[in-house]
């Protein structure tokens, strides 16, 4: 990492002034025997291509990273804050600092620790996810177990991942598909007035199955159903979030008539949402950053399966740190859309590998991730 890329330091006065101007460095713990040293850093991930969704376009994403160290063992976690839910890298860092006292307790009791973190306040799911990852990374390393083994999963059942194509001019989107020739399935961002032109352009350069994600971008249920019907003929196999999140009755109307599965993304945040939205969708897209971490994602997968929903694990724009945590859970799911780190040109971590489109989990304990943004 180049020093200038590092936007915040928590281990000392610099970070503390980032979080609380003028204060003493209280977020840095001394790290003595039995104590947990907590360090936070903000880092700007640069995107290989501009990332376009129905609600905006980005060239960088600023994420927040936490490092905990106790008894000589390090645990790491990542927060990719979701602006739609009012989160920023700074709000994530502030929440992590607020949670530091919880990390001074017994880390092996990670179920209780997560409950205590959750009880600190509503929202800030990305920060909660970072803390959960760091806890599990630390515990996994102490037990000598990779994350997938801690949850009784088989690394050999890790999924292949789709590759996401953000909204752009059609020739640019076609180039992105050609660049990603190793992938067997593409997830195309739609929800614009140019959707037909976009999908015809994509279909002109690949005959592989396509997933689409409208990100709440279509206005009416009739318009959405007409598009979905047209897309089904084009070889689109799944549509994510065709209408705004709260329009559940209209989404249910689409579900009853659609020839291809309708998945919830924005309509769903955490486990308690699942029973309420289950009747209106065929499947759900679970993301660590959206739900608050690995433990909550495992609970959600169990609940979704019990309610007969198809299960997808997705991601935000994240480094290999966050994606490695999600990839370790992929054996629990039917579809993985875990390519956020592949869209980044300055990934400061190494973890899960992608061989063609196959996620290959590490045998190393914890998240199996190396690297860092902390100085
Ligand atoms: Mg989505």
């Amino acid at each position: 990492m180049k020093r200038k890329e590092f936007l915040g330091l928590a281990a000392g006065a610099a970070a503390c002034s980032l979080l609380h101007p003028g204060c003493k460095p209280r977020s840095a713990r001394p790290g003595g025997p039995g104590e947990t040293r907590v360090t936070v850093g903000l880092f700007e991930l640069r995107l290989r291509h501009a990332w376009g969704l129905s609600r905006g376009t980005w060239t960088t994403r600023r994420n927040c990273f936490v490092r905990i160290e106790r008894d000589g063992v390090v645990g790491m976690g990542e927060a990719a804050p979701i602006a739609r839910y009012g989160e920023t890298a700074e709000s994530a860092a502030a929440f992590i600092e607020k949670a530091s006292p919880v990390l001074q307790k017994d880390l092996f009791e990670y179920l209780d620790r997560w409950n205590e973190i959750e009880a600190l306040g509503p929202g800030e799911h990305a920060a909660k996810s970072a803390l959960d990852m760091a806890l599990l990374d630390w515990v996994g390393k102490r037990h000598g177990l990779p994350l997938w083994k801690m949850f009784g999963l088989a690394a050999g059942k890790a999924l292949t991942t789709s590759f996401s194509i953000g909204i752009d001019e059609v020739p640019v989107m076609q180039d992105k598909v050609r660049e990603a020739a190793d992938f067997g399935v593409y997830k195309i961002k739609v929800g614009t007035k140019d959707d037909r032109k976009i999908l015809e352009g994509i279909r002109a350069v690949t005959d592989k199955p396509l997933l689409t994600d409208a990100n709440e971008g279509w206005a009416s249920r009739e318009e959405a159903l007409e598009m979905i019907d047209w897309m089904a003929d084009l070889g689109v196999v799944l549509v994510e979030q065709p209408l705004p999140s709260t329009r559940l009755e209209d989404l249910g109307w689409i579900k009853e008539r659609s020839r291809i599965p309708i998945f919830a993304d924005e309509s769903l945040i955490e486990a308690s949402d699942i029973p309420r939205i289950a009747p209106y969708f065929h499947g759900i897209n679970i993301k660590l950053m959206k739900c608050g971490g690995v433990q909550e994602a495992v609970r959600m997968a169990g609940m979704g399966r019990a309610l007969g929903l198809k299960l997808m694990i997705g991601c935000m724009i994240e480094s290999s740190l966050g994606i490695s945590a999600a990839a370790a859970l992929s054996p629990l799911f039917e579809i993985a859309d875990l390519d956020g780190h592949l869209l980044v040109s300055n990934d400061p971590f190494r973890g899960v590998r992608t061989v063609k489109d196959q996620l290959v989990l590490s045998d190393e304990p914890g998240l199996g991730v190396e690297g860092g943004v902390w100085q």
Side-chain angles (χ1 to χ4, degrees):
M1 179 197 72
K2 289 178 189 155
R3 178 83 179 182
K4 66 181 177 185
E5 291 168 347
F6 187 71
L7 300 175
L9 292 170
C16 221
S17 63
L18 174 81
L19 302 176
H20 299 284
C23 75
K24 299 283 187 204
R26 60 194 168 93
S27 67
R29 295 278 172 172
E35 288 194 65
T36 305
R37 180 186 173 91
V38 182
T39 311
V40 182
L42 309 189
F43 186 85
E44 194 162 84
L45 299 172
R46 287 194 297 266
L47 292 158
R48 293 183 190 280
H49 298 282
W51 177 241
L53 306 182
S54 60
R55 58 173 167 266
T57 299
W58 295 265
T59 55
T60 61
R61 295 303 289 239
R62 200 169 186 226
N63 286 1
C64 175
F65 296 84
V66 61
R67 179 186 189 276
I68 64 173
E69 183 172 358
R70 182 162 179 164
D71 301 336
V73 175
V74 170
M76 302 189 289
E78 175 171 9
I82 306 181
R84 190 181 182 283
Y85 305 123
E87 301 174 0
T88 63
E90 289 75 13
S91 71
F95 185 88
I96 289 168
E97 189 190 9
K98 184 176 166 185
S100 287
V102 176
L103 301 172
Q104 301 310 316
K105 299 184 180 181
D106 186 340
L107 301 181
F108 289 108
E109 298 169 354
Y110 54 84
L111 284 156
D112 281 347
R113 296 297 83 78
W114 193 87
N115 288 335
E116 290 160 7
I117 288 165
E118 170 67 11
L120 288 172
E124 295 300 340
H125 290 102
K128 290 170 184 170
S129 182
L131 289 160
D132 187 47
M133 279 180 217
L135 270 171
L136 292 167
D137 192 27
W138 188 92
V139 173
K141 286 171 178 167
R142 283 294 305 269
H143 286 318
L145 291 174
L147 184 64
W148 47 270
K149 202 168 264 189
M150 287 171 70
F151 284 90
L153 301 171
K157 290 185 179 171
L159 299 180
T160 56
T161 178
S162 55
F163 188 84
S164 299
I165 308 292
I167 294 168
D168 210 318
E169 297 297 322
V170 172
V172 177
M173 295 179 75
Q174 290 176 319
D175 284 345
K176 291 178 185 174
V177 169
R178 291 190 192 98
E179 271 180 38
D182 280 345
F183 292 81
V185 178
Y186 301 105
K187 182 168 171 182
I188 314 298
K189 294 291 188 178
V190 292
T192 76
K193 60 181 173 40
D194 296 323
D195 289 342
R196 288 176 193 252
K197 199 168 70 178
I198 286 172
L199 287 166
E200 281 169 350
I202 299 293
R203 196 35 103 212
V205 295
T206 181
D207 56 6
K208 293 174 183 171
L210 304 176
L211 319 178
T212 56
D213 186 355
N215 286 111
E216 313 179 278
W218 291 322
S220 75
R221 65 187 194 181
E222 289 80 11
E223 176 197 353
L225 185 64
E226 190 185 329
M227 269 304 300
I228 291 166
D229 207 41
W230 179 83
M231 292 192 306
D233 288 334
L234 205 68
V236 171
V237 297
L238 178 162
V239 180
E240 207 171 291
Q241 201 68 46
L243 295 179
S245 62
T246 54
R247 303 249 309 262
L248 293 175
E249 295 295 335
D250 287 336
L251 286 156
W253 183 89
I254 294 171
K255 177 194 174 188
E256 280 176 19
R257 291 160 178 80
S258 174
R259 292 151 59 197
I260 53 179
I262 308 299
F263 273 61
D265 184 358
E266 285 86 345
S267 289
L268 167 79
I269 298 177
E270 55 198 3
S272 58
D273 295 320
I274 297 180
R276 180 174 55 82
I277 68 145
Y280 308 107
F281 295 93
H282 299 99
I284 53 177
N285 184 349
I286 295 170
K287 298 174 178 173
L288 302 188
M289 298 301 168
K290 197 172 57 164
C291 74
V294 169
Q295 297 186 54
E296 182 74 351
V298 171
R299 284 189 283 272
M300 291 175 78
M303 189 183 285
R305 180 170 294 110
L307 291 170
L309 293 164
K310 298 177 193 299
L311 301 175
M312 179 193 303
I313 185 159
C315 63
M316 304 302 291
I317 302 294
E318 304 169 28
S319 76
S320 288
L321 178 50
I323 298 294
S324 294
L329 300 187
S330 73
L332 277 174
F333 291 77
E334 296 158 75
I335 301 167
D337 181 35
L338 296 176
D339 62 343
H341 61 318
L342 304 175
L343 308 178
V344 168
S345 64
N346 62 336
D347 188 345
F349 294 92
R350 294 169 304 286
V352 62
R353 291 183 302 126
T354 310
V355 177
K356 286 193 176 285
D357 58 358
Q358 176 65 53
L359 298 167
V360 179
L361 307 183
S362 169
D363 289 326
E364 294 297 316
L367 302 185
V369 172
E370 294 179 339
V373 299
W374 309 275
Q375 295 286 320

